[in-house]
Amino acid sequence: MIDDLDLGFDEPERGEKGRHRRGFVQKRKGKGGSGGGRGKTFLALLLALFLLGGIGGGAFYGFDRIQNYFVTPDYDGSGTGEITVEIKNGALLADMADALVAADVVKSQKAFIEAAEANSRSKNIQPGTYKLRKQMSGASAVTAMLDLKNKIVNGLTIPEGRTSKNIYKLLSDKTKIPVKEFEAAAKDPEALGVPDWWFTRGDGKKVVKSVEGFLYPDTYEIPPKATAESILKLMVDNFLSVTGEMKFADRVQKERGGVSPYEALIVASLAQAEAGNKDDLGKVARVAYNRVYGEFNCNCLEMDVTVNYYLESIGKPTKSSKQMTASELDDPKNPYNRKLKGLVPTPINNPGKQALEGAMDPPVGKWLYFVAIDDKGHSAFAEDYEQHQRNEAKAREAGII
């Protein structure tokens, strides 16, 4: 009789040659019985499903119950409607998952945790309130929470291309933390999380370790008890996450012919400062590479933005090209002198993702000159000075210069 049998997985047994043998065994119930376990439960469910096979819909219900033992319960797609969910300070992945399950954003805690563990950027999910949808897949929920557009914040947006000095002022105005504390924390970029290998140059120039370039422009929600150091660490970590996903360092080393990632970061900052339109970021980066590493007359940048960076760093007001004096343009004491051979010592601002992409993978071209030609900031590019002069004439006709 079936009632007399205890169906389960037996413990592995050793054969004559030491190999494991595993299979179904039959045991009669008695005082020394094993009492069942997961294997017994599973087989009992299978047996119940078999017996219910002729009862129609009941079999499907049984299968669904069994399936949940082995398949992560998860919704499909990006969900419907809109709902707000609060993630509290100090929340772990499991805490986040509980909040999302309670709001019916995800179907199970496991669905969210598995999706988060599969996404390297999930560590960037911050506490706060999110606009999400009901019945999202775990992966969709993680993606939505990493998109700052879905976060209801009373935070601070750091625009692309701001210098570190300017960023300290923005952060100080928001947090009331003195600028001097940000300056003190920034003196050791490696303590803020910048790996030492980032400060490698292939052009033979002295390495100047600066946090400039590593304070990634984005929208940040500043925690109530944040310090200058913790805020800058958050920005550096964001930079490392974004450039890591882009494979910025790997691609630069493989594709830019000996240019180091740090040199490419400098070029990205130059493009961010010089390009008047995002469409031209890659072309401006190409001009910088061509001037410094190509056959330009002085192998120098000749970009006025480097002069302005120096003026700002020493507490002087920045100027337009027309306002700069000859001594300011070619000051021999200025380490960011536009006439010095090669790249400047550090990035001159903190570039955004598109500028980084432009420096990592610039379009092919032999351009050495560019000039803005319309009120939308688009530039005309030239390979020689004669063409550049013609482009300048067009810009003057349009009233741009």
Side-chain angles (χ1 to χ4, degrees):
M1 293 283 293
I2 289 177
D3 287 341
D4 290 333
L5 295 179
D6 179 7
L7 300 180
F9 286 114
D10 195 20
E11 290 295 320
E13 297 179 16
R14 296 278 183 179
E16 292 180 0
K17 295 184 179 180
R19 296 180 179 175
H20 288 293
R21 293 186 293 111
R22 185 180 297 274
F24 294 107
V25 296
Q26 296 183 354
K27 299 178 185 176
R28 291 208 173 266
K29 287 185 179 179
K31 293 182 180 180
S34 65
R38 182 173 292 181
K40 178 179 178 180
T41 303
F42 173 56
L43 286 174
L45 284 167
L46 284 177
L47 183 59
L49 178 59
F50 175 77
L51 294 174
L52 288 170
I55 310 180
F60 291 99
Y61 174 76
F63 177 75
D64 184 65
R65 290 286 301 275
I66 294 169
Q67 179 177 254
N68 285 341
Y69 278 87
F70 305 100
V71 180
T72 299
D74 198 3
Y75 291 125
D76 291 324
S78 58
T80 58
E82 187 175 292
I83 190 170
T84 59
V85 179
E86 181 185 2
I87 302 299
K88 296 183 178 179
N89 285 328
L92 303 175
L93 282 179
D95 302 318
M96 296 180 192
D98 287 341
L100 296 174
V101 170
D104 195 27
V105 172
V106 297
K107 194 170 187 179
S108 69
Q109 184 192 66
K110 189 177 179 183
F112 177 78
I113 291 176
E114 287 182 351
E117 289 177 343
N119 190 320
S120 62
R121 288 195 65 209
S122 63
K123 63 181 180 180
N124 293 329
I125 297 177
Q126 301 172 7
T129 303
Y130 291 84
K131 289 186 295 183
L132 301 171
R133 295 170 178 258
K134 285 198 169 188
Q135 299 187 355
M136 307 175 78
S137 69
S140 294
V142 170
T143 300
M145 294 175 75
L146 286 170
D147 186 344
L148 291 175
K149 291 184 293 186
N150 295 319
K151 193 163 185 282
I152 302 171
V153 297
N154 181 24
L156 175 65
T157 298
I158 305 297
E160 298 169 342
R162 295 297 181 94
T163 64
S164 57
K165 191 167 186 175
N166 185 273
I167 289 173
Y168 303 152
K169 180 67 166 58
L170 292 174
L171 291 171
S172 180
D173 290 344
K174 178 69 177 180
T175 65
K176 309 308 176 187
I177 298 172
V179 167
K180 289 183 178 180
E181 293 190 23
F182 288 102
E183 292 173 337
K187 286 182 178 179
D188 187 353
E190 290 180 17
L192 295 175
V194 181
D196 60 352
W197 60 261
W198 262 101
F199 298 107
T200 301
R201 299 186 69 135
D203 58 3
K205 287 202 168 188
K206 181 181 177 181
V207 173
V208 179
K209 294 186 178 182
S210 168
V211 77
E212 196 77 75
F214 296 100
L215 302 179
Y216 189 73
D218 209 333
T219 299
Y220 295 91
E221 186 171 6
I222 311 300
K225 296 181 180 180
T227 64
E229 183 179 14
S230 68
I231 294 170
L232 297 185
K233 280 184 176 179
L234 180 65
M235 299 178 74
V236 169
D237 183 66
N238 199 9
F239 170 88
L240 296 174
S241 294
V242 172
T243 53
E245 287 185 355
M246 293 169 59
K247 300 187 184 302
F248 181 87
D250 290 339
R251 289 193 59 186
V252 166
Q253 291 178 93
K254 291 177 181 178
E255 301 171 18
R256 297 277 64 80
V259 174
S260 74
Y262 191 61
E263 292 166 73
L265 178 60
I266 293 173
V267 170
S269 73
L270 295 168
Q272 189 75 75
E274 285 281 9
N277 189 286
K278 290 183 177 182
D279 296 339
D280 293 334
L281 285 166
K283 285 187 174 182
V284 174
R286 174 58 71 185
V287 169
Y289 285 130
N290 289 345
R291 288 185 179 183
V292 172
Y293 301 109
E295 299 178 358
F296 196 47
N297 53 6
C298 64
N299 291 119
C300 59
L301 285 167
E302 282 201 348
M303 293 182 178
D304 297 345
V305 290
T306 65
V307 177
N308 265 330
Y309 180 73
Y310 176 68
L311 292 175
E312 182 181 350
S313 71
I314 61 175
K316 291 186 177 182
T318 58
K319 299 180 178 182
S320 67
S321 299
K322 291 180 179 179
Q323 294 172 326
M324 289 183 184
T325 65
S327 61
E328 287 172 333
L329 285 170
D330 299 317
D331 180 1
K333 296 180 180 179
N334 176 4
Y336 295 83
N337 188 322
R338 66 188 194 131
K339 288 286 188 181
L340 292 178
K341 187 175 181 179
L343 289 173
V344 290
T346 69
I348 62 168
N349 58 46
N350 294 274
K353 187 175 182 181
Q354 286 180 285
L356 290 166
E357 289 172 339
M360 177 182 71
D361 186 24
V364 176
K366 296 181 179 180
W367 311 295
L368 292 172
Y369 306 92
F370 60 94
V371 61
I373 57 170
D374 63 31
D375 56 7
K376 294 182 180 179
H378 291 100
S379 292
F381 292 79
E383 295 182 13
D384 56 61
Y385 190 63
E386 289 73 19
Q387 179 62 53
H388 179 58
Q389 288 181 309
R390 292 193 288 271
N391 290 337
E392 283 186 320
K394 291 179 182 178
R396 279 190 288 270
E397 288 179 16
I400 305 301
I401 62 172

